[in-house]
Amino acid sequence: AQSVAQPEDQVNVAEGNPLTVKCTYSVSGNPYLFWYVQYPNRGLQFLLKYITGDNLVKGSYGFEAEFNKSQTSFHLKKPSALVSDSALYFCAVRDRYSSASKIIFGSGTRLSIRP
Amino acid sequence: DVKVTQSSRYLVKRTGEKVFLECVQDMDHENMFWYRQDPGLGLRLIYFSYDVKMKEKGDIPEGYSVSREKKERFSLILESASTNQTSMYLCASSRQHSYEQYFGPGTRLTVT
């Protein structure tokens, strides 16, 4: 069965510092991995995805994520945090060989950037 | 721009009422999804549809049904609302072989 874990409910970072939001996954085959962001009172927005190729994936708003197969992780990173990055972040996974179109979401991590 | 709209942002219903949540997408996407979002639980898939009149159960379908009579519209139905169905409901759509889902703004349903 597919699953994804976000071990931190909340991450607090000072503006200008690097940030990391952690994600680990479990699938039976090779994964497709995603990050979504939810700003207050808005729906989820797609940030980035890993399908194949380079382990470092770049996405919207200066975010990037690194796929680590040995550690089954897909942590979200940004070199310099902005206050406007404060939001709820969701990691998601899909088994590459699954015939269904559905993906599994993590429980979410609330990122808070202080000025 | 892909647009997914949901019929209501906020809804208050009484226990036992029949509730309809509507979702419309304007990008001719084949796949449509209904999720509920609860604090600490993330998004959980209720039902999804990959074509008109086709539907598949997600992880938590109990107490819900869906209807997809037209490609652009996917309805979630609570036959008899209960207080444990108080939640944020999110609709999403995607192309047939794409994994990027586009989400609506959500409907916050309160059942009293």
Side-chain angles (χ1 to χ4, degrees):
Chain A
Q2 307 170 94
S3 66
V4 59
Q6 294 182 243
E8 302 155 317
D9 290 336
Q10 176 127 4
V11 171
N12 300 308
V13 177
E15 188 175 28
N17 283 0
L19 69 88
T20 299
V21 183
K22 296 179 181 177
C23 172
T24 58
Y25 66 89
S26 174
V27 297
S28 55
N30 291 318
Y32 292 146
L33 294 156
F34 312 88
W35 276 101
Y36 283 79
V37 59
Q38 186 178 36
Y39 296 104
N41 299 316
R42 295 175 67 176
L44 272 71
Q45 295 178 34
F46 173 80
L47 263 185
L48 52 79
K49 66 184 176 190
Y50 171 81
I51 302 297
T52 189
D54 195 346
N55 289 344
L56 186 64
V57 178
K58 293 189 184 297
S60 307
Y61 312 120
F63 283 92
E64 58 189 27
E66 186 169 12
F67 170 60
N68 187 318
K69 189 173 183 178
S70 63
Q71 297 185 5
T72 61
S73 67
F74 190 57
H75 300 333
L76 182 70
K77 300 181 180 185
K78 188 173 182 180
S80 179
L82 299 173
V83 172
S84 57
D85 293 330
S86 298
L88 189 56
Y89 290 80
F90 291 95
C91 183
V93 66
R94 189 200 133 155
D95 187 329
R96 185 181 298 263
Y97 300 108
S98 170
S99 59
S101 299
K102 64 179 188 177
I103 60 177
I104 303 298
F105 286 85
S107 56
T109 298
R110 188 165 297 282
L111 179 64
S112 178
I113 309 300
R114 60 183 184 275
Chain B
D1 251 7
V2 176
K3 197 160 187 184
V4 180
T5 57
Q6 295 183 229
S7 50
S8 306
R9 291 300 302 273
Y10 301 94
L11 209 52
V12 180
K13 295 292 182 180
R14 294 189 182 277
T15 301
E17 277 193 85
K18 190 169 187 175
V19 182
F20 292 88
L21 302 183
E22 303 284 343
C23 175
V24 178
Q25 51 95 3
D26 67 357
M27 284 302 291
D28 203 36
H29 285 172
E30 289 79 13
N31 300 326
M32 295 189 75
F33 308 82
W34 274 107
Y35 296 90
R36 62 177 283 176
Q37 181 181 3
D38 300 288
L41 297 176
L43 274 71
R44 292 179 292 168
L45 183 64
I46 304 171
Y47 268 97
F48 68 100
S49 168
Y50 50 88
D51 202 352
V52 175
K53 296 190 186 294
M54 305 300 287
K55 60 186 179 185
E56 284 201 25
K57 292 180 180 179
D59 300 314
I60 52 164
E62 296 79 17
Y64 303 95
S65 62
V66 290
S67 172
R68 193 162 179 206
E69 296 296 318
K70 293 185 178 182
K71 191 174 186 180
E72 67 272 18
R73 188 180 297 269
F74 192 36
S75 302
L76 180 69
I77 303 153
L78 288 66
E79 293 290 341
S80 178
S82 64
T83 55
N84 64 11
Q85 292 178 310
T86 291
S87 186
M88 171 69 85
Y89 289 88
L90 295 173
C91 176
S93 70
S94 72
R95 291 192 191 91
Q96 186 176 12
H97 297 299
S98 171
Y99 310 114
E100 181 178 344
Q101 295 185 11
Y102 295 84
F103 283 82
T107 295
R108 186 167 292 283
L109 173 67
T110 302
V111 183
T112 62

